[in-house]
Amino acid sequence: MILPVLGLCVGIVLGSLTPILIPLAYSKFFSVALLASLDSVFGGLRAAVSGNFNDAVFISGFFTNALLAAFLVYVGDRLGIDLYYVALLAFGFRIFQNLALLRRQLLRKHG
Amino acid sequence: MKNIKQGRWSIACVCMVLGFMLAVQFRTTEDMKQSLPYQRLEELADRVIRTEKERDELKEELGKIKGRQDPGMIDEELRIQAGLVPLEGPGVIVRMDDSTQKSKAGENPNLYVIHDEDILKVVNELRAAGAEAVSINGQRLVGRSEIRCAGPTLSVNNVRSAAPFEVHAIGDTTALENALKMRGGVAETLKVWGIQMEITSSDNVYVPPYKGSRKLTYAQVTQEKEGKK
């Protein structure tokens, strides 16, 4: 469990040090992509705990989810449909679901 | 915990990317919060610059106008002729109001209210009798003035006013009065329809200056062309 946390820390440090800023116009897409990645990570953790983890599925899911979410929001923006909130709701819902499953699995294993 | 070991490297990599995104997003949000007042500041600064520019332009214009005024008498004479100066002198005040008579059944009620034509006729008579300055309801008549029906109101110098109308004219008092009151003249015609018209002569009739726009957008100064009408 140390390695993912270490990776997260390294990422945060890297992100804080690089002088990249998201332009205001794209901040919406980026935040959705971020949420999608967060969802993927929780999904991956749950899969790892429950024992059906697959590297390829995890990595591809992580990137496609993030890109697709941003793309969908972009298309929605162009069409005048606010898919931003839809994505927010869907990913938020899934994150909590994955979190609940993760908690249960861990409790069952250690309990 | 064997299962977790299975994907620990990929999860670590993904976590790193996630951490990177988190940090960037965090910094962007912080930056946005900070820059918002700056945006407002910029907007305000822009407005100040624009207003200052406008002020300078107006100042310059004022200076020009003042400079033009200085050369003295000839210019003042022109301003008086152009109707830019308030004037006072002997003349007549004509008050006109809609008819008090009720229109008979089947008759056009329009005949009993004052129209732009009636005012035009009065002004025309006054000018023919040598009126030097004329104003209608406080609007000075100059070369560009119109007297026009604007719905139920009258438009003079693009300013609307409703009945009763008060026409001030400076000139020879008796000539002006007689011009209006002559047999078959304006006053008699309008009396048929009961339109109220009250002519009072006075020794000091006040005529206000022209206050409308003086800007010429299309007309340009040119040389006099012989033989052209």
Side-chain angles (χ1 to χ4, degrees), chain B residues 15-33:
Chain B
C15 273
M16 199 173 85
V17 176
L18 185 72
F20 182 81
M21 283 167 86
L22 269 172
V24 169
Q25 174 78 357
F26 177 75
R27 276 187 34 243
T28 305
T29 314
E30 286 292 298
D31 192 62
M32 242 156 62
K33 271 187 204 153

Side-chain angles (χ1 to χ4, degrees), chain A:
Chain A
M1 218 47 201
I2 294 295
L3 218 52
V5 175
L6 205 72
L8 194 68
C9 288
V10 170
I12 286 174
V13 169
L14 269 177
S16 311
L17 290 179
T18 43
I20 299 174
L21 281 180
I22 307 299
L24 201 68
Y26 301 123
S27 68
K28 214 177 184 184
F29 310 139
F30 191 76
S31 49
V32 169
L34 180 62
L35 202 67
S37 339
L38 213 61
D39 168 61
S40 290
V41 168
F42 277 113
L45 279 176
R46 185 189 58 99
V49 169
S50 56
N52 46 9
F53 184 84
N54 185 322
D55 257 343
V57 169
F58 178 63
I59 300 281
S60 64
F62 177 81
F63 288 107
T64 44
N65 259 8
L67 289 177
L68 198 69
F71 177 71
L72 259 182
V73 171
Y74 170 76
V75 169
D77 219 32
R78 279 293 146 102
L79 295 178
I81 311 163
D82 230 343
L83 288 177
Y84 176 73
Y85 298 104
V86 178
L88 229 60
L89 214 70
F91 285 124
F93 184 71
R94 273 187 46 168
I95 285 173
F96 282 114
Q97 215 173 25
N98 279 335
L99 212 61
L101 280 170
L102 194 71
R103 182 170 48 86
R104 256 171 233 189
Q105 291 273 0
L106 286 174
L107 277 178
R108 202 175 299 157
K109 269 190 183 170
H110 298 280

Side-chain angles (χ1 to χ4, degrees), chain B:
Chain B
M1 292 308 277
K2 182 192 152 232
N3 288 329
I4 280 194
K5 273 182 188 135
Q6 185 188 11
R8 56 195 293 186
W9 280 110
S10 49
I11 289 184
C13 281
V14 164
C15 273
M16 199 173 85
V17 176
L18 185 72
F20 182 81
M21 283 167 86
L22 269 172
V24 169
Q25 174 78 357
F26 177 75
R27 276 187 34 243
T28 305
T29 314
E30 286 292 298
D31 192 62
M32 242 156 62
K33 271 187 204 153
Q34 257 178 12
S35 67
L36 221 60
Y38 277 111
Q39 265 181 6
R40 176 97 183 118
L41 200 74
E42 240 167 68
E43 200 185 303
L44 286 173
D46 198 48
R47 206 181 291 174
V48 167
I49 289 168
R50 239 185 301 148
T51 313
E52 272 178 351
K53 210 172 153 193
E54 213 171 297
R55 183 203 61 188
D56 289 344
E57 276 173 15
L58 287 172
K59 252 189 189 169
E60 206 175 306
E61 201 177 324
L62 186 72
K64 266 189 204 165
I65 292 168
K66 273 191 177 163
R68 244 188 273 150
Q69 263 177 19
D70 276 336
M73 295 301 288
I74 300 167
D75 217 50
E76 188 62 22
E77 175 65 28
L78 283 176
R79 282 168 55 77
I80 292 168
Q81 290 294 336
L84 301 175
V85 179
L87 296 175
E88 205 173 37
V92 294
I93 297 171
V94 185
R95 279 191 199 86
M96 298 167 77
D97 204 346
D98 293 341
S99 177
T100 44
Q101 292 178 17
K102 283 263 167 69
S103 64
K104 290 163 199 140
E107 235 177 357
N108 188 355
N110 270 334
L111 293 169
Y112 294 93
V113 293
I114 296 181
H115 290 278
D116 45 334
E117 283 111 339
D118 304 331
I119 306 279
L120 255 173
K121 271 182 198 156
V122 168
V123 169
N124 205 26
E125 281 307 330
L126 289 171
R127 280 188 165 162
E132 286 166 2
V134 182
S135 73
I136 298 169
N137 276 9
Q139 284 301 317
R140 177 70 167 269
L141 286 187
V142 294
R144 287 170 73 185
S145 299
E146 88 284 10
I147 298 174
R148 188 182 181 280
C149 176
T153 57
L154 186 82
S155 162
V156 180
N157 291 344
N158 278 320
V159 176
R160 293 173 179 198
S161 54
F165 300 104
E166 203 165 274
V167 182
H168 289 213
I170 298 175
D172 183 350
T173 313
T174 39
L176 294 177
E177 222 179 314
N178 290 340
L180 294 174
K181 284 179 176 167
M182 68 179 172
R183 197 169 278 266
V186 192
E188 212 178 87
T189 319
L190 290 177
K191 203 174 274 175
V192 175
W193 305 109
I195 283 169
Q196 301 169 58
M197 191 164 163
E198 188 189 318
I199 304 167
T200 41
S201 46
S202 164
D203 279 340
N204 45 357
V205 176
Y206 173 75
V207 174
Y210 176 67
K211 295 186 196 90
S213 164
R214 281 145 53 185
K215 214 171 144 192
L216 295 179
T217 316
Y218 301 102
Q220 284 171 349
V221 177
T222 180
Q223 300 290 319
E224 198 169 339
K225 288 171 186 166
E226 289 294 326
K228 275 207 174 180
K229 280 181 185 171

